[in-house]
Amino acid sequence: MNTNMLGAINNAMDLCMQENSDMVLLGEDIGKDGGVFRVTDGLFDKYGAERVIDTPLAESGIVGTAIGMALAGMHPVPELQFASFMYLSFSQLVNHAARYRERTRSAMSLPMIIRTPVSGGVRTLEHHSESPEAFFAHPGGIIVVEPSTPYDAKGLFIAAAHLNDPVLFLEPTKLYRLFKQEVPDAMYEVPIGKASVLKEGDDITIITYGTMASIVSDVVEKKKVSAHVIDLCTINPLDEKTIIEGAKKTGRVLVVHEAPTSFGVGAEVSARIAEKAMYELDAPIMRVASPSFPYPFPGYEQYYLPNGNRIGSAIDKLLSM
Amino acid sequence: MLKAIYSGSIDYMQIMDENGTLDSGLVPKGLTDQMLVEMYKKMSFARALDAKTLSLQRQGRAVTYAPLVGEEAVQIGSASAMRQGDIFVPSFRQHGVYLTRGLPLEKFFIYWRGFEEGGAIPKEVNGLPVIVPVGTQVPHSAGIAYAQKYKKTGAAVIVYVGDGGTSEGDFYEAINFAGVFKLPLVVIIENNQWAISVPRSRQSAAETLAQKGIAAGIKCVQVDGNDVIAMYRATSDAINYSATGPTLIEAVTYRMSMHTTSDDPTKYRPDADVEAWKAKDPIARLMKYLVGKGLWTDSMESKMQDEQLKLIDEAVEKAEQFKPDPRSMFENVYSFMPETLKSEEDEAIAAGFWQG
């Protein structure tokens, strides 16, 4: 099928719900309305109100209830309407989703997929454009994935649905409808914990994910640089092997993400490269990310988000060193 | 126009008063004298277990512990009403519920020695591990109840939360979910009057905590939580009703001891309050009834105490033989071992970081 990311996720959920009668979706406006972005469109009609559950407006309750469902042998897929609304369920995610397997020494586990739209660039109101991946990758115990293509979105969702762990599934809002791609109709998995190499190259290694992946690809193409571009796909656990190999290959590393620069995923990636490949680098590791403060109102987002210019000049700087 | 469109009321249930006298019309059918003797033994057992754990903590053989003394009737009365398949969701003080549901005692002591292996609750116990963050377990119970309804198991879910816990958002969100989806859920507020140092009056201006259920559109009742028969009856009624919808039970009891072993209640509450509640003791009350009916004697009491202490000592001995393996921390984070985590584990082992 030729589909955008939104259609790919919808299709993945449909296939997984067909396969597993214990999979249910729950969230705000996901039923008749099909979700505010229409990601669950059509699933209410197909699977009914018992499996596509419009909940009261309570994010901690949504995640907490989903945890209970998972403990009782179901495979819930809670949707948090926007990433920053997810902060209301932070305690459930970090105190329980991240720890339940550990606190019971695997006597209990939480098969669940927490879905939420992330990142900006679509001129929405305050609190609709957050990139929260680092918060949830930090404690450990929660798998964090973020696809940047329709193909990866479908494959990662299906892999998550076959896993006996809590998976935070981050869906870049801007990519929902940005482009279409040929995607297999059948089920397939994109392995969790594996980064994908978007482009092979020799002069510079660019490590990115989410909204920035397509921007990086555009810049690299326009500038005609020989870049080795890695899309992390899974934030936690990190595919350290692919990162280190990529860093060693070119000796010049740029990490690009939309989330704020300080204490972000870029810091973690850079630290691992510094620990394991420092002496094979020809230049300091650089980061291009949003400035270190919360996401602005939509009028200012064009000045906040990393763009092709910033990425391009970082590439120039690294190549000149 | 201005007219009343809603008015509610809360029933208070007491079946056995402080002197052990029954309101016989309210005694549930099917509750036999033998069952009451069993409940008496379990309540006594819970109190003995509590005293032992407290003493272990004082000797440095257990971690910070939350005593249950005074709250035995809430826990044993409700747990005795559960059917085999019913599932319970505790907070952190429900040791009597675990005991009644048959948790192997060495697990209990392994947990309170501070090891996750004690949280691996055996399947047949049908309960969740200790949950520390206040109120956060209530949404879990709603989800488990949703699953029972979805899978048509017929089981009810019984969750415990304290008076302080009813101030948490998660409590409201969960009882609201339960009401909307008519879930087979029984929420028991173990109102022991104190959230560490903050009294019940500071948690809510509402006259009862039971009435919080009214806003969620669910059945609610207040019960004398030191009356094991009323607790049994209220829980049974709620379980029988669970196929129709949820019930909120406020069990009014009193925390006779400290919040946890790291707390000193003399700093914030007068001894006289505690003394006043001694007269309402749940175990003494049931004993009066049993002795009055010739169902319990001094020799039975001493025999029971000896047996229980022996079981407790055996469990402590087993639990103290448990040897922690630091690798288990790494191996139970995910269903698989990520390479990054494996390398942290390997490094610790190779470098001998865990030795001495």
Side-chain angles (χ1 to χ4, degrees), chain A residues 21 50-51 53 58 60-61 65 68 92 96 101-102 105-106 141 165 236, chain B residues 117 120 128 136 139-140 143-144 146-147 150 170 173 328-329 332 334-335:
Chain A
S21 63
E50 262 199 315
R51 293 189 66 192
I53 308 159
S60 186
T65 306
Q92 287 294 342
H96 295 303
R101 176 182 284 276
E102 184 80 85
R105 281 292 181 265
S106 297
D165 297 280
N236 182 55
Chain B
E117 282 73 7
L128 262 48
T136 59
H140 305 167
I144 298 169
Y146 191 96
Y150 179 78
D170 271 352
E173 294 189 21
S328 67
M329 299 188 295
N332 292 284
Y334 306 98
S335 65

PDB file of all heavy atoms in Angstrom, chain A residues 21 50-51 53 58 60-61 65 68 92 96 101-102 105-106 141 165 236, chain B residues 117 120 128 136 139-140 143-144 146-147 150 170 173 328-329 332 334-335:
ATOM      1  N   SER A  21      -6.972 -10.640  20.202  1.00  0.00           N
ATOM      2  CA  SER A  21      -8.280 -10.147  20.661  1.00  0.00           C
ATOM      3  C   SER A  21      -8.170  -9.481  22.039  1.00  0.00           C
ATOM      4  O   SER A  21      -9.121  -8.881  22.511  1.00  0.00           O
ATOM      5  CB  SER A  21      -9.293 -11.281  20.709  1.00  0.00           C
ATOM      6  OG  SER A  21      -8.863 -12.244  21.650  1.00  0.00           O
ATOM      7  N   GLU A  50     -16.033  -1.641  23.149  1.00  0.00           N
ATOM      8  CA  GLU A  50     -15.296  -2.382  24.189  1.00  0.00           C
ATOM      9  C   GLU A  50     -13.803  -2.420  23.916  1.00  0.00           C
ATOM     10  O   GLU A  50     -13.001  -2.602  24.823  1.00  0.00           O
ATOM     11  CB  GLU A  50     -15.780  -3.836  24.196  1.00  0.00           C
ATOM     12  CG  GLU A  50     -16.800  -4.162  25.238  1.00  0.00           C
ATOM     13  CD  GLU A  50     -16.839  -5.671  25.456  1.00  0.00           C
ATOM     14  OE1 GLU A  50     -16.848  -6.424  24.449  1.00  0.00           O
ATOM     15  OE2 GLU A  50     -16.848  -6.070  26.618  1.00  0.00           O
ATOM     16  N   ARG A  51     -13.422  -2.311  22.630  1.00  0.00           N
ATOM     17  CA  ARG A  51     -12.000  -2.432  22.273  1.00  0.00           C
ATOM     18  C   ARG A  51     -11.398  -1.113  21.809  1.00  0.00           C
ATOM     19  O   ARG A  51     -10.176  -1.000  21.720  1.00  0.00           O
ATOM     20  CB  ARG A  51     -11.810  -3.506  21.187  1.00  0.00           C
ATOM     21  CG  ARG A  51     -12.119  -4.907  21.701  1.00  0.00           C
ATOM     22  CD  ARG A  51     -11.733  -5.969  20.698  1.00  0.00           C
ATOM     23  NE  ARG A  51     -10.307  -6.044  20.477  1.00  0.00           N
ATOM     24  CZ  ARG A  51      -9.737  -6.727  19.488  1.00  0.00           C
ATOM     25  NH1 ARG A  51     -10.508  -7.374  18.608  1.00  0.00           N
ATOM     26  NH2 ARG A  51      -8.434  -6.755  19.361  1.00  0.00           N
ATOM     27  N   ILE A  53     -11.827   2.388  23.173  1.00  0.00           N
ATOM     28  CA  ILE A  53     -12.518   2.915  24.347  1.00  0.00           C
ATOM     29  C   ILE A  53     -12.319   4.420  24.481  1.00  0.00           C
ATOM     30  O   ILE A  53     -11.196   4.894  24.702  1.00  0.00           O
ATOM     31  CB  ILE A  53     -11.979   2.219  25.621  1.00  0.00           C
ATOM     32  CG1 ILE A  53     -12.018   0.695  25.465  1.00  0.00           C
ATOM     33  CG2 ILE A  53     -12.762   2.668  26.834  1.00  0.00           C
ATOM     34  CD1 ILE A  53     -11.072  -0.045  26.419  1.00  0.00           C
ATOM     35  N   ALA A  58      -8.716  12.074  31.460  1.00  0.00           N
ATOM     36  CA  ALA A  58      -7.865  11.906  32.642  1.00  0.00           C
ATOM     37  C   ALA A  58      -6.652  11.077  32.249  1.00  0.00           C
ATOM     38  O   ALA A  58      -6.723   9.852  32.178  1.00  0.00           O
ATOM     39  CB  ALA A  58      -8.647  11.208  33.751  1.00  0.00           C
ATOM     40  N   SER A  60      -3.652  10.414  33.636  1.00  0.00           N
ATOM     41  CA  SER A  60      -3.057   9.468  34.578  1.00  0.00           C
ATOM     42  C   SER A  60      -3.957   8.242  34.683  1.00  0.00           C
ATOM     43  O   SER A  60      -3.483   7.100  34.745  1.00  0.00           O
ATOM     44  CB  SER A  60      -2.886  10.129  35.944  1.00  0.00           C
ATOM     45  OG  SER A  60      -2.196   9.277  36.810  1.00  0.00           O
ATOM     46  N   GLY A  61      -5.252   8.485  34.684  1.00  0.00           N
ATOM     47  CA  GLY A  61      -6.217   7.382  34.712  1.00  0.00           C
ATOM     48  C   GLY A  61      -6.108   6.497  33.485  1.00  0.00           C
ATOM     49  O   GLY A  61      -6.219   5.272  33.576  1.00  0.00           O
ATOM     50  N   THR A  65      -4.995   2.841  34.168  1.00  0.00           N
ATOM     51  CA  THR A  65      -5.953   1.794  33.818  1.00  0.00           C
ATOM     52  C   THR A  65      -5.317   0.822  32.829  1.00  0.00           C
ATOM     53  O   THR A  65      -5.483  -0.394  32.943  1.00  0.00           O
ATOM     54  CB  THR A  65      -7.223   2.419  33.202  1.00  0.00           C
ATOM     55  OG1 THR A  65      -7.718   3.394  34.107  1.00  0.00           O
ATOM     56  CG2 THR A  65      -8.294   1.374  32.959  1.00  0.00           C
ATOM     57  N   GLY A  68      -3.183  -1.610  34.566  1.00  0.00           N
ATOM     58  CA  GLY A  68      -4.001  -2.675  35.161  1.00  0.00           C
ATOM     59  C   GLY A  68      -4.436  -3.700  34.128  1.00  0.00           C
ATOM     60  O   GLY A  68      -4.405  -4.905  34.369  1.00  0.00           O
ATOM     61  N   GLN A  92       2.553   7.474  36.716  1.00  0.00           N
ATOM     62  CA  GLN A  92       2.190   6.108  36.301  1.00  0.00           C
ATOM     63  C   GLN A  92       3.273   5.511  35.406  1.00  0.00           C
ATOM     64  O   GLN A  92       3.587   4.322  35.509  1.00  0.00           O
ATOM     65  CB  GLN A  92       0.840   6.111  35.571  1.00  0.00           C
ATOM     66  CG  GLN A  92      -0.347   6.332  36.498  1.00  0.00           C
ATOM     67  CD  GLN A  92      -0.564   5.189  37.480  1.00  0.00           C
ATOM     68  OE1 GLN A  92      -0.064   4.081  37.307  1.00  0.00           O
ATOM     69  NE2 GLN A  92      -1.304   5.452  38.542  1.00  0.00           N
ATOM     70  N   HIS A  96       5.481   3.162  37.721  1.00  0.00           N
ATOM     71  CA  HIS A  96       4.894   1.833  37.532  1.00  0.00           C
ATOM     72  C   HIS A  96       5.266   1.167  36.216  1.00  0.00           C
ATOM     73  O   HIS A  96       5.783   0.057  36.209  1.00  0.00           O
ATOM     74  CB  HIS A  96       3.382   1.894  37.709  1.00  0.00           C
ATOM     75  CG  HIS A  96       2.985   2.261  39.106  1.00  0.00           C
ATOM     76  ND1 HIS A  96       3.380   1.535  40.204  1.00  0.00           N
ATOM     77  CD2 HIS A  96       2.286   3.315  39.594  1.00  0.00           C
ATOM     78  CE1 HIS A  96       2.919   2.109  41.310  1.00  0.00           C
ATOM     79  NE2 HIS A  96       2.262   3.189  40.969  1.00  0.00           N
ATOM     80  N   ARG A 101       7.920  -4.887  36.086  1.00  0.00           N
ATOM     81  CA  ARG A 101       8.611  -6.158  35.868  1.00  0.00           C
ATOM     82  C   ARG A 101       9.698  -6.361  36.937  1.00  0.00           C
ATOM     83  O   ARG A 101       9.798  -7.413  37.546  1.00  0.00           O
ATOM     84  CB  ARG A 101       9.227  -6.191  34.458  1.00  0.00           C
ATOM     85  CG  ARG A 101      10.046  -7.424  34.186  1.00  0.00           C
ATOM     86  CD  ARG A 101      10.669  -7.378  32.808  1.00  0.00           C
ATOM     87  NE  ARG A 101       9.711  -7.658  31.754  1.00  0.00           N
ATOM     88  CZ  ARG A 101       9.378  -8.891  31.367  1.00  0.00           C
ATOM     89  NH1 ARG A 101       9.911  -9.942  31.948  1.00  0.00           N
ATOM     90  NH2 ARG A 101       8.513  -9.065  30.393  1.00  0.00           N
ATOM     91  N   GLU A 102      10.449  -5.307  37.165  1.00  0.00           N
ATOM     92  CA  GLU A 102      11.547  -5.380  38.140  1.00  0.00           C
ATOM     93  C   GLU A 102      11.030  -5.663  39.546  1.00  0.00           C
ATOM     94  O   GLU A 102      11.555  -6.524  40.252  1.00  0.00           O
ATOM     95  CB  GLU A 102      12.327  -4.066  38.103  1.00  0.00           C
ATOM     96  CG  GLU A 102      13.551  -4.013  38.983  1.00  0.00           C
ATOM     97  CD  GLU A 102      14.768  -4.700  38.364  1.00  0.00           C
ATOM     98  OE1 GLU A 102      15.489  -4.046  37.573  1.00  0.00           O
ATOM     99  OE2 GLU A 102      14.993  -5.868  38.681  1.00  0.00           O
ATOM    100  N   ARG A 105      10.222  -9.183  39.923  1.00  0.00           N
ATOM    101  CA  ARG A 105      11.215 -10.127  39.387  1.00  0.00           C
ATOM    102  C   ARG A 105      10.611 -10.947  38.233  1.00  0.00           C
ATOM    103  O   ARG A 105      10.713 -12.170  38.179  1.00  0.00           O
ATOM    104  CB  ARG A 105      11.737 -11.051  40.484  1.00  0.00           C
ATOM    105  CG  ARG A 105      12.789 -10.385  41.356  1.00  0.00           C
ATOM    106  CD  ARG A 105      14.077 -10.126  40.550  1.00  0.00           C
ATOM    107  NE  ARG A 105      15.142  -9.494  41.350  1.00  0.00           N
ATOM    108  CZ  ARG A 105      15.365  -8.186  41.401  1.00  0.00           C
ATOM    109  NH1 ARG A 105      14.604  -7.339  40.731  1.00  0.00           N
ATOM    110  NH2 ARG A 105      16.354  -7.692  42.102  1.00  0.00           N
ATOM    111  N   SER A 106       9.939 -10.210  37.344  1.00  0.00           N
ATOM    112  CA  SER A 106       9.349 -10.766  36.121  1.00  0.00           C
ATOM    113  C   SER A 106       8.184 -11.716  36.367  1.00  0.00           C
ATOM    114  O   SER A 106       7.701 -12.350  35.427  1.00  0.00           O
ATOM    115  CB  SER A 106      10.397 -11.444  35.238  1.00  0.00           C
ATOM    116  OG  SER A 106      11.344 -10.488  34.793  1.00  0.00           O
ATOM    117  N   GLY A 141      13.608   0.903  31.766  1.00  0.00           N
ATOM    118  CA  GLY A 141      12.387   0.133  32.001  1.00  0.00           C
ATOM    119  C   GLY A 141      11.292   0.410  30.991  1.00  0.00           C
ATOM    120  O   GLY A 141      10.400  -0.416  30.800  1.00  0.00           O
ATOM    121  N   ASP A 165       6.629  -5.877  26.937  1.00  0.00           N
ATOM    122  CA  ASP A 165       7.211  -4.743  27.675  1.00  0.00           C
ATOM    123  C   ASP A 165       6.389  -3.481  27.401  1.00  0.00           C
ATOM    124  O   ASP A 165       5.720  -3.389  26.383  1.00  0.00           O
ATOM    125  CB  ASP A 165       8.642  -4.460  27.170  1.00  0.00           C
ATOM    126  CG  ASP A 165       9.582  -5.620  27.412  1.00  0.00           C
ATOM    127  OD1 ASP A 165      10.062  -5.764  28.530  1.00  0.00           O
ATOM    128  OD2 ASP A 165       9.804  -6.399  26.459  1.00  0.00           O
ATOM    129  N   ASN A 236      15.413   4.254  23.444  1.00  0.00           N
ATOM    130  CA  ASN A 236      15.844   3.371  24.540  1.00  0.00           C
ATOM    131  C   ASN A 236      15.316   1.963  24.292  1.00  0.00           C
ATOM    132  O   ASN A 236      14.126   1.807  24.094  1.00  0.00           O
ATOM    133  CB  ASN A 236      15.315   3.872  25.889  1.00  0.00           C
ATOM    134  CG  ASN A 236      15.807   2.991  27.024  1.00  0.00           C
ATOM    135  OD1 ASN A 236      16.997   2.783  27.188  1.00  0.00           O
ATOM    136  ND2 ASN A 236      14.887   2.439  27.785  1.00  0.00           N
TER     137      ASN A 236
ATOM    138  N   GLU B 117      12.526  -9.967  45.133  1.00  0.00           N
ATOM    139  CA  GLU B 117      12.056 -11.349  45.050  1.00  0.00           C
ATOM    140  C   GLU B 117      10.807 -11.552  45.919  1.00  0.00           C
ATOM    141  O   GLU B 117       9.980 -12.413  45.625  1.00  0.00           O
ATOM    142  CB  GLU B 117      13.171 -12.320  45.470  1.00  0.00           C
ATOM    143  CG  GLU B 117      14.234 -12.551  44.395  1.00  0.00           C
ATOM    144  CD  GLU B 117      15.189 -11.376  44.181  1.00  0.00           C
ATOM    145  OE1 GLU B 117      15.137 -10.391  44.958  1.00  0.00           O
ATOM    146  OE2 GLU B 117      15.991 -11.433  43.226  1.00  0.00           O
ATOM    147  N   ALA B 120       7.516 -10.993  44.007  1.00  0.00           N
ATOM    148  CA  ALA B 120       7.055 -11.984  43.021  1.00  0.00           C
ATOM    149  C   ALA B 120       5.918 -12.776  43.655  1.00  0.00           C
ATOM    150  O   ALA B 120       6.112 -13.864  44.184  1.00  0.00           O
ATOM    151  CB  ALA B 120       8.208 -12.895  42.616  1.00  0.00           C
ATOM    152  N   LEU B 128      -1.591  -8.238  43.865  1.00  0.00           N
ATOM    153  CA  LEU B 128      -0.484  -7.453  43.349  1.00  0.00           C
ATOM    154  C   LEU B 128       0.566  -7.232  44.440  1.00  0.00           C
ATOM    155  O   LEU B 128       0.280  -7.414  45.614  1.00  0.00           O
ATOM    156  CB  LEU B 128      -1.018  -6.123  42.821  1.00  0.00           C
ATOM    157  CG  LEU B 128      -1.236  -6.071  41.293  1.00  0.00           C
ATOM    158  CD1 LEU B 128      -1.983  -7.274  40.793  1.00  0.00           C
ATOM    159  CD2 LEU B 128      -1.913  -4.794  40.874  1.00  0.00           C
ATOM    160  N   THR B 136      -1.740   5.560  43.680  1.00  0.00           N
ATOM    161  CA  THR B 136      -1.463   5.247  42.273  1.00  0.00           C
ATOM    162  C   THR B 136      -1.916   3.847  41.876  1.00  0.00           C
ATOM    163  O   THR B 136      -1.983   3.537  40.690  1.00  0.00           O
ATOM    164  CB  THR B 136       0.044   5.381  41.955  1.00  0.00           C
ATOM    165  OG1 THR B 136       0.778   4.475  42.799  1.00  0.00           O
ATOM    166  CG2 THR B 136       0.543   6.788  42.191  1.00  0.00           C
ATOM    167  N   PRO B 139      -5.983   3.289  39.886  1.00  0.00           N
ATOM    168  CA  PRO B 139      -6.219   3.098  38.438  1.00  0.00           C
ATOM    169  C   PRO B 139      -5.859   1.680  37.960  1.00  0.00           C
ATOM    170  O   PRO B 139      -6.532   1.153  37.078  1.00  0.00           O
ATOM    171  CB  PRO B 139      -5.317   4.147  37.776  1.00  0.00           C
ATOM    172  CG  PRO B 139      -5.116   5.195  38.814  1.00  0.00           C
ATOM    173  CD  PRO B 139      -5.108   4.468  40.121  1.00  0.00           C
ATOM    174  N   HIS B 140      -4.823   1.077  38.547  1.00  0.00           N
ATOM    175  CA  HIS B 140      -4.479  -0.291  38.130  1.00  0.00           C
ATOM    176  C   HIS B 140      -5.662  -1.218  38.393  1.00  0.00           C
ATOM    177  O   HIS B 140      -5.992  -2.068  37.567  1.00  0.00           O
ATOM    178  CB  HIS B 140      -3.261  -0.823  38.883  1.00  0.00           C
ATOM    179  CG  HIS B 140      -2.049   0.063  38.780  1.00  0.00           C
ATOM    180  ND1 HIS B 140      -0.951  -0.093  39.584  1.00  0.00           N
ATOM    181  CD2 HIS B 140      -1.773   1.112  37.985  1.00  0.00           C
ATOM    182  CE1 HIS B 140      -0.052   0.829  39.284  1.00  0.00           C
ATOM    183  NE2 HIS B 140      -0.537   1.581  38.318  1.00  0.00           N
ATOM    184  N   GLY B 143      -8.231  -0.960  35.781  1.00  0.00           N
ATOM    185  CA  GLY B 143      -7.833  -1.655  34.547  1.00  0.00           C
ATOM    186  C   GLY B 143      -7.971  -3.161  34.676  1.00  0.00           C
ATOM    187  O   GLY B 143      -8.417  -3.843  33.744  1.00  0.00           O
ATOM    188  N   ILE B 144      -7.590  -3.690  35.839  1.00  0.00           N
ATOM    189  CA  ILE B 144      -7.739  -5.137  36.059  1.00  0.00           C
ATOM    190  C   ILE B 144      -9.226  -5.489  36.033  1.00  0.00           C
ATOM    191  O   ILE B 144      -9.630  -6.507  35.444  1.00  0.00           O
ATOM    192  CB  ILE B 144      -7.089  -5.561  37.391  1.00  0.00           C
ATOM    193  CG1 ILE B 144      -5.580  -5.271  37.353  1.00  0.00           C
ATOM    194  CG2 ILE B 144      -7.312  -7.044  37.664  1.00  0.00           C
ATOM    195  CD1 ILE B 144      -4.886  -5.405  38.691  1.00  0.00           C
ATOM    196  N   TYR B 146     -11.514  -3.862  34.405  1.00  0.00           N
ATOM    197  CA  TYR B 146     -11.962  -3.794  33.003  1.00  0.00           C
ATOM    198  C   TYR B 146     -11.663  -5.121  32.308  1.00  0.00           C
ATOM    199  O   TYR B 146     -12.493  -5.660  31.569  1.00  0.00           O
ATOM    200  CB  TYR B 146     -11.272  -2.637  32.263  1.00  0.00           C
ATOM    201  CG  TYR B 146     -11.894  -2.359  30.904  1.00  0.00           C
ATOM    202  CD1 TYR B 146     -12.854  -1.362  30.753  1.00  0.00           C
ATOM    203  CD2 TYR B 146     -11.552  -3.113  29.778  1.00  0.00           C
ATOM    204  CE1 TYR B 146     -13.449  -1.116  29.523  1.00  0.00           C
ATOM    205  CE2 TYR B 146     -12.148  -2.880  28.545  1.00  0.00           C
ATOM    206  CZ  TYR B 146     -13.090  -1.877  28.416  1.00  0.00           C
ATOM    207  OH  TYR B 146     -13.687  -1.659  27.196  1.00  0.00           O
ATOM    208  N   ALA B 147     -10.472  -5.653  32.566  1.00  0.00           N
ATOM    209  CA  ALA B 147     -10.079  -6.913  31.931  1.00  0.00           C
ATOM    210  C   ALA B 147     -10.987  -8.066  32.367  1.00  0.00           C
ATOM    211  O   ALA B 147     -11.329  -8.935  31.557  1.00  0.00           O
ATOM    212  CB  ALA B 147      -8.620  -7.234  32.261  1.00  0.00           C
ATOM    213  N   TYR B 150     -14.138  -7.606  30.421  1.00  0.00           N
ATOM    214  CA  TYR B 150     -13.897  -7.873  29.000  1.00  0.00           C
ATOM    215  C   TYR B 150     -13.764  -9.373  28.757  1.00  0.00           C
ATOM    216  O   TYR B 150     -14.298  -9.913  27.797  1.00  0.00           O
ATOM    217  CB  TYR B 150     -12.620  -7.135  28.566  1.00  0.00           C
ATOM    218  CG  TYR B 150     -12.238  -7.346  27.120  1.00  0.00           C
ATOM    219  CD1 TYR B 150     -12.907  -6.665  26.101  1.00  0.00           C
ATOM    220  CD2 TYR B 150     -11.225  -8.227  26.771  1.00  0.00           C
ATOM    221  CE1 TYR B 150     -12.568  -6.862  24.778  1.00  0.00           C
ATOM    222  CE2 TYR B 150     -10.876  -8.432  25.449  1.00  0.00           C
ATOM    223  CZ  TYR B 150     -11.546  -7.748  24.451  1.00  0.00           C
ATOM    224  OH  TYR B 150     -11.216  -7.950  23.134  1.00  0.00           O
ATOM    225  N   ASP B 170      -5.336  10.345  41.250  1.00  0.00           N
ATOM    226  CA  ASP B 170      -5.508   8.984  40.748  1.00  0.00           C
ATOM    227  C   ASP B 170      -6.723   8.288  41.368  1.00  0.00           C
ATOM    228  O   ASP B 170      -7.383   7.487  40.713  1.00  0.00           O
ATOM    229  CB  ASP B 170      -4.246   8.141  41.014  1.00  0.00           C
ATOM    230  CG  ASP B 170      -3.231   8.243  39.872  1.00  0.00           C
ATOM    231  OD1 ASP B 170      -3.557   8.834  38.822  1.00  0.00           O
ATOM    232  OD2 ASP B 170      -2.110   7.720  40.033  1.00  0.00           O
ATOM    233  N   GLU B 173      -9.744   9.728  39.543  1.00  0.00           N
ATOM    234  CA  GLU B 173      -9.767   9.280  38.146  1.00  0.00           C
ATOM    235  C   GLU B 173     -10.213   7.830  38.073  1.00  0.00           C
ATOM    236  O   GLU B 173     -10.980   7.436  37.198  1.00  0.00           O
ATOM    237  CB  GLU B 173      -8.380   9.478  37.515  1.00  0.00           C
ATOM    238  CG  GLU B 173      -8.014  10.953  37.400  1.00  0.00           C
ATOM    239  CD  GLU B 173      -6.749  11.219  36.587  1.00  0.00           C
ATOM    240  OE1 GLU B 173      -6.347  10.370  35.784  1.00  0.00           O
ATOM    241  OE2 GLU B 173      -6.168  12.310  36.768  1.00  0.00           O
ATOM    242  N   SER B 328      20.244 -10.224  39.215  1.00  0.00           N
ATOM    243  CA  SER B 328      18.787 -10.232  39.031  1.00  0.00           C
ATOM    244  C   SER B 328      18.242  -8.826  38.786  1.00  0.00           C
ATOM    245  O   SER B 328      17.201  -8.652  38.156  1.00  0.00           O
ATOM    246  CB  SER B 328      18.098 -10.871  40.233  1.00  0.00           C
ATOM    247  OG  SER B 328      18.280 -10.056  41.371  1.00  0.00           O
ATOM    248  N   MET B 329      18.962  -7.797  39.260  1.00  0.00           N
ATOM    249  CA  MET B 329      18.518  -6.416  39.002  1.00  0.00           C
ATOM    250  C   MET B 329      18.550  -6.107  37.509  1.00  0.00           C
ATOM    251  O   MET B 329      17.673  -5.457  36.970  1.00  0.00           O
ATOM    252  CB  MET B 329      19.429  -5.403  39.707  1.00  0.00           C
ATOM    253  CG  MET B 329      19.483  -5.507  41.204  1.00  0.00           C
ATOM    254  SD  MET B 329      20.416  -4.117  41.906  1.00  0.00           S
ATOM    255  CE  MET B 329      22.062  -4.402  41.266  1.00  0.00           C
ATOM    256  N   ASN B 332      15.881  -8.298  35.013  1.00  0.00           N
ATOM    257  CA  ASN B 332      14.425  -8.192  35.096  1.00  0.00           C
ATOM    258  C   ASN B 332      13.907  -6.801  34.734  1.00  0.00           C
ATOM    259  O   ASN B 332      12.853  -6.387  35.204  1.00  0.00           O
ATOM    260  CB  ASN B 332      13.968  -8.585  36.503  1.00  0.00           C
ATOM    261  CG  ASN B 332      14.186 -10.059  36.764  1.00  0.00           C
ATOM    262  OD1 ASN B 332      13.432 -10.893  36.274  1.00  0.00           O
ATOM    263  ND2 ASN B 332      15.238 -10.387  37.493  1.00  0.00           N
ATOM    264  N   TYR B 334      13.726  -5.700  31.325  1.00  0.00           N
ATOM    265  CA  TYR B 334      12.957  -5.896  30.089  1.00  0.00           C
ATOM    266  C   TYR B 334      12.753  -7.397  29.871  1.00  0.00           C
ATOM    267  O   TYR B 334      13.365  -8.218  30.556  1.00  0.00           O
ATOM    268  CB  TYR B 334      13.717  -5.324  28.888  1.00  0.00           C
ATOM    269  CG  TYR B 334      14.134  -3.882  29.046  1.00  0.00           C
ATOM    270  CD1 TYR B 334      15.431  -3.556  29.448  1.00  0.00           C
ATOM    271  CD2 TYR B 334      13.231  -2.844  28.799  1.00  0.00           C
ATOM    272  CE1 TYR B 334      15.822  -2.238  29.598  1.00  0.00           C
ATOM    273  CE2 TYR B 334      13.626  -1.518  28.959  1.00  0.00           C
ATOM    274  CZ  TYR B 334      14.918  -1.218  29.360  1.00  0.00           C
ATOM    275  OH  TYR B 334      15.291   0.092  29.513  1.00  0.00           O
ATOM    276  N   SER B 335      11.969  -7.730  28.876  1.00  0.00           N
ATOM    277  CA  SER B 335      11.776  -9.143  28.534  1.00  0.00           C
ATOM    278  C   SER B 335      12.995  -9.675  27.784  1.00  0.00           C
ATOM    279  O   SER B 335      13.085 -10.860  27.508  1.00  0.00           O
ATOM    280  CB  SER B 335      10.520  -9.306  27.681  1.00  0.00           C
ATOM    281  OG  SER B 335      10.689  -8.657  26.432  1.00  0.00           O
TER     282      SER B 335
END
